[in-house]
Amino acid sequence: VLDTKKPLGNPNGIRLILGTTLIGSIAVEIQIAPQAISTKNLTMLIYPLLINIIPLGYPCWKWVNLHIINYKIYKQLMSIVHSEQLIDYGDKKETTTFNERKVVYGVKLVYEESTDGTYITVYPNGIKHSDATQTLNNRLEETFNMNVLSVDHQLSYTRYLLRDVDKQQIGVTDNAF
């Protein structure tokens, strides 16, 4: 899943989980602090804070999954997004934490491989060029070097089925005639 508006996941959900684990670790700190200070074992105070690594692992995993594990697919999907202008940016002055232009509206792309072929589902999510999500046939064929076999236009998404036609085999038997 590639969401161009929130590529690392929902920041509000991450903040909520991080806040919850932080409150939990502080509660544990309050319980063990008197014992740790009296025994002069200050390393005991560090262990409850390590639980806060868990919520930070999700955005890190999303980044590694997109940029390292599925790098080729990510680059192909992003080339389609940029060439078809499927992202609406804010003012040039507005930037994100990583000094990139702020995305106001962006598409969500779901890439799935199955025995039927490769499914690419495009959710426009309010972009200006939402009609462009229904006419990506040629661009998908060029980028993935496969043929678009079917297109499913729905109100909230467009789903493409891609398959390499050269690899399809049609079995013919004597009984077929």
mmCIF file of all heavy atoms in Angstrom, residues 62 74 135 144:
data_model
loop_
_atom_site.group_PDB
_atom_site.id
_atom_site.type_symbol
_atom_site.label_atom_id
_atom_site.label_comp_id
_atom_site.label_asym_id
_atom_site.label_seq_id
_atom_site.Cartn_x
_atom_site.Cartn_y
_atom_site.Cartn_z
ATOM 1 N N LYS A 62 7.279 0.657 7.799
ATOM 2 C CA LYS A 62 6.649 1.114 6.556
ATOM 3 C C LYS A 62 7.707 1.680 5.617
ATOM 4 O O LYS A 62 7.695 1.421 4.422
ATOM 5 C CB LYS A 62 5.587 2.186 6.844
ATOM 6 C CG LYS A 62 4.324 1.705 7.482
ATOM 7 C CD LYS A 62 3.341 1.210 6.498
ATOM 8 C CE LYS A 62 2.712 2.333 5.742
ATOM 9 N NZ LYS A 62 1.630 1.917 4.887
ATOM 10 N N TYR A 74 7.832 0.386 -5.619
ATOM 11 C CA TYR A 74 7.637 1.749 -5.113
ATOM 12 C C TYR A 74 8.041 2.781 -6.165
ATOM 13 O O TYR A 74 7.305 3.727 -6.433
ATOM 14 C CB TYR A 74 8.451 1.943 -3.826
ATOM 15 C CG TYR A 74 8.519 3.372 -3.356
ATOM 16 C CD1 TYR A 74 7.426 3.968 -2.731
ATOM 17 C CD2 TYR A 74 9.678 4.131 -3.529
ATOM 18 C CE1 TYR A 74 7.491 5.273 -2.299
ATOM 19 C CE2 TYR A 74 9.743 5.436 -3.099
ATOM 20 C CZ TYR A 74 8.652 5.999 -2.483
ATOM 21 O OH TYR A 74 8.712 7.309 -2.062
ATOM 22 N N THR A 135 -7.899 6.578 -16.369
ATOM 23 C CA THR A 135 -7.281 6.448 -17.697
ATOM 24 C C THR A 135 -5.788 6.147 -17.591
ATOM 25 O O THR A 135 -4.981 6.711 -18.325
ATOM 26 C CB THR A 135 -7.492 7.738 -18.499
ATOM 27 O OG1 THR A 135 -6.934 8.834 -17.758
ATOM 28 C CG2 THR A 135 -8.959 7.994 -18.782
ATOM 29 N N PHE A 144 4.922 -1.232 -16.070
ATOM 30 C CA PHE A 144 5.063 -2.595 -15.573
ATOM 31 C C PHE A 144 5.333 -3.617 -16.675
ATOM 32 O O PHE A 144 5.520 -4.791 -16.385
ATOM 33 C CB PHE A 144 3.811 -2.997 -14.783
ATOM 34 C CG PHE A 144 3.705 -2.292 -13.468
ATOM 35 C CD1 PHE A 144 2.912 -1.167 -13.335
ATOM 36 C CD2 PHE A 144 4.422 -2.736 -12.374
ATOM 37 C CE1 PHE A 144 2.818 -0.517 -12.126
ATOM 38 C CE2 PHE A 144 4.332 -2.092 -11.163
ATOM 39 C CZ PHE A 144 3.539 -0.977 -11.035
#
